[in-house]
Amino acid sequence: MRKTKLTALATTTVALTVLAGCTGTDDNTTPDGTITLEFLSLAWQKESVDANKALVKHWNDTHAHVKVKYVQGSWDNIHDQLLTSFEGGEAPDIFHDDASDLTDFANGGYLADLTPYLPKSLREDIPQTSWNTTTLDHKIYGIPFLQEPRVLIANTKLLKASGVRIPTAQHPWTWTEFESASKKLTRDKNNDGRPDTYGVAWSMKEPVSQSVNLSLSTDGHIFYKDKENKNEIRYDNPDSEIARLINRQVNKTHTAPRTGLGMSGSDTLPGFFAGKYAMLPLNFSYRQQVQQQAPKDFDWTVLPLPAGTGGTAQGTAPQTLSVSEDSNHKKQAAAFIAYLTQAQHQAQLARGDWLLPTSREALKDPSLTTAKYGWKTGTAIATSLRPSPVLGVRGYAEWKDKIATPAFQEYYNGAIGITELRKRLAQDGNRILDRYQR
């Protein structure tokens, strides 16, 4: 979960502070041949920071001639911070980011192709679907190592009282069953026409990524390739099925509150604990906040998202580790990343961030397959994760900010219909994509 964005002035200050010491493009080699690599980490939770620092220390203790300097970064505007460092010739040798950033950086020539340096064991341990999130034009620009599905976090007491079938990763609800369950979980105890408990609360303060990524479960994609292999946007029935479901729950069946549309995931938690919402579709890492903030007698569970014609597939943009093209020590930097992403280390880092590792072996770790806090549900649905349709699409950020965010917000609020939403997303959106593909 990324923190809130800084103001422009604060961001500039952070960028200068964080990156001032990043001189990975210089030849940081001592007279005895010892190399020092700079590693910009975006870990921010204490457990995750401690895990990263412990792994760096172990590397330094066991490698006499290749040392790693840990540099603490921030998720706040990391794209702009890295771009400044690339253009200024002061990029770190190794940096932490997520797959959505790699397209622009790779096209700018800022990233090293890691293909020649990756050990076979690592290539085989991480599924090809994960490698596809960081591969452009047959070149690997990052190692995907942490990933995050969306799940349903549900009030166990309300679930049991409603009599609905409890879904599992092996037997999830269909989206139709989900709508039916939402109706059964919606309660108007005093019959005043306003539910005291809603079946579900959709937090749609930032509606685009989940609207796009969840479309995979209904065989949608939204971003496609045309006959000339150029990106184009379509918004036909499979692409819009989940959006139409959310609109229906908010504006027709009233099984989801309109107020949720302006909330972040964290904003919905007080109402969830108070019994106002029975289920919350949230990113997997929100389990940590639930565990820390829930009343002691509050019983909650983690359920898989429903399945459609595309099964339980959903898009994701995993966290990544990359090497700067200007680094003088690409082979050594890649070796450190390979060490950091070994199965046992991925499991350690995943626990610290309440995320899932991409490593097949790490997903078998007993600490990640326990039923406690829903870990078992997460690892069971990991094979359903696919590259987000937005990855590799130049112009996506502009489409998201200028077209998709306001259009989805108006649609979910009932201000526009599906025909107008299709026009804005596809017709207006393709004009933006075309400018990036001339």
Side-chain angles (χ1 to χ4, degrees):
M1 295 170 290
R2 299 190 182 192
K3 299 178 183 177
T4 15
K5 292 183 179 180
L6 304 172
T7 61
L9 177 60
T11 299
T12 302
T13 303
V14 169
L16 292 173
T17 302
V18 170
L19 297 173
C22 292
T23 55
T25 52
D26 293 334
D27 192 357
N28 295 332
T29 307
T30 61
D32 69 351
T34 300
I35 295 167
T36 299
L37 304 171
E38 292 200 335
F39 166 40
L40 177 64
S41 170
L42 301 181
W44 62 276
Q45 299 199 75
K46 183 181 185 302
E47 296 89 342
S48 183
V49 172
D50 290 347
N52 274 272
K53 288 184 175 180
L55 290 172
V56 169
K57 183 179 185 302
H58 182 264
W59 169 278
N60 288 335
D61 289 344
T62 55
H63 291 76
H65 299 295
V66 180
K67 302 298 182 182
V68 173
K69 177 183 177 184
Y70 182 93
V71 179
Q72 186 62 61
S74 168
W75 281 109
D76 299 308
N77 284 318
I78 183 60
H79 180 93
D80 293 337
Q81 294 175 22
L82 285 170
L83 186 60
T84 298
S85 72
F86 289 139
E87 294 180 343
E90 295 186 340
D93 296 276
I94 303 152
F95 65 89
H96 181 182
D97 201 356
D98 75 45
S100 63
D101 256 353
L102 301 191
T103 300
D104 285 346
F105 290 153
N107 279 287
Y110 300 127
L111 306 183
D113 176 15
L114 300 178
T115 308
Y117 309 115
L118 299 180
K120 182 180 178 182
S121 58
L122 180 64
R123 290 291 302 271
E124 293 177 346
D125 187 30
I126 296 176
Q128 187 57 46
T129 51
S130 294
W131 287 117
N132 290 344
T133 66
T134 60
T135 302
L136 296 169
D137 297 327
H138 308 291
K139 295 180 180 179
I140 297 174
Y141 291 110
I143 295 181
F145 72 112
L146 293 177
Q147 55 189 343
E148 182 167 31
R150 287 184 78 80
V151 292
L152 290 172
I153 298 180
N155 182 317
T156 304
K157 181 180 178 181
L158 294 178
L159 276 181
K160 290 180 178 178
S162 72
V164 300
R165 178 180 73 84
I166 307 299
T168 64
Q170 292 72 32
H171 300 286
W173 282 329
T174 64
W175 283 107
T176 300
E177 286 179 298
F178 169 74
E179 285 195 85
S180 176
S182 297
K183 289 178 182 178
K184 290 181 180 179
L185 288 161
T186 299
R187 291 282 186 268
D188 178 9
K189 295 179 182 177
N190 57 8
N191 295 314
D192 65 353
R194 298 169 59 184
D196 303 290
T197 298
Y198 289 92
V200 61
W202 290 95
S203 50
M204 286 287 174
K205 187 175 183 178
E206 295 184 2
V208 180
S209 62
Q210 55 184 311
S211 300
V212 174
N213 289 332
L214 295 186
S215 71
L216 294 181
S217 75
T218 57
D219 273 336
H221 208 262
I222 302 179
F223 290 89
Y224 296 86
K225 293 289 187 180
D226 65 14
K227 293 179 180 179
E228 298 177 353
N229 204 38
K230 291 184 178 181
N231 295 311
E232 70 171 356
I233 299 167
R234 304 176 206 155
Y235 205 62
D236 299 323
N237 285 341
D239 309 292
S240 63
E241 189 169 334
I242 300 302
R244 285 182 282 126
L245 179 151
I246 296 170
N247 178 286
R248 198 160 52 240
Q249 290 195 307
V250 172
N251 299 297
K252 185 177 180 180
T253 62
H254 305 292
T255 53
R258 187 182 299 272
T259 52
L261 299 177
M263 294 182 182
S264 67
S266 297
D267 295 334
T268 61
L269 294 183
F272 178 60
F273 300 144
K276 290 178 64 177
Y277 321 125
M279 298 183 291
L280 299 176
L282 292 174
N283 284 348
F284 196 55
S285 58
Y286 273 97
R287 297 169 305 124
Q288 183 184 33
Q289 287 189 49
V290 175
Q291 184 269 329
Q292 292 175 342
Q293 298 173 17
K296 289 184 179 179
D297 60 347
F298 187 81
D299 192 8
W300 57 281
T301 189
V302 177
L303 310 175
L305 282 181
T309 52
T312 54
Q314 56 175 291
T316 186
Q319 293 185 27
T320 57
L321 294 167
S322 299
V323 174
S324 302
E325 173 62 26
D326 286 344
S327 172
N328 293 313
H329 308 291
K330 296 182 183 66
K331 181 178 180 181
Q332 294 85 349
F336 172 73
I337 294 180
Y339 156 82
L340 204 61
T341 52
Q342 291 174 11
Q344 68 270 31
H345 298 159
Q346 281 199 39
Q348 187 177 351
L349 296 171
R351 286 193 301 271
D353 270 328
W354 289 64
L355 299 174
L356 293 178
T358 58
S359 158
R360 291 186 178 96
E361 286 303 311
L363 285 167
K364 299 175 185 176
D365 190 288
S367 67
L368 304 183
T369 56
T370 175
K372 191 174 184 180
Y373 303 139
W375 281 108
K376 184 177 181 179
T377 299
T379 54
I381 64 176
T383 55
S384 298
L385 300 181
R386 300 289 182 267
S388 172
V390 309
L391 297 179
V393 178
R394 302 199 69 186
Y396 165 72
E398 184 178 347
W399 175 80
K400 175 185 174 182
D401 293 341
K402 293 183 178 179
I403 301 291
T405 296
F408 274 121
Q409 288 173 338
E410 288 184 55
Y411 175 68
Y412 290 138
N413 273 291
I416 63 173
I418 190 63
T419 301
E420 178 64 17
L421 179 65
R422 286 191 173 112
K423 174 182 175 296
R424 293 192 193 182
L425 295 181
Q427 188 174 314
D428 297 347
N430 281 321
R431 292 193 187 101
I432 289 177
L433 265 55
D434 287 347
R435 284 196 283 104
Y436 287 82
Q437 300 180 106
R438 288 173 183 167

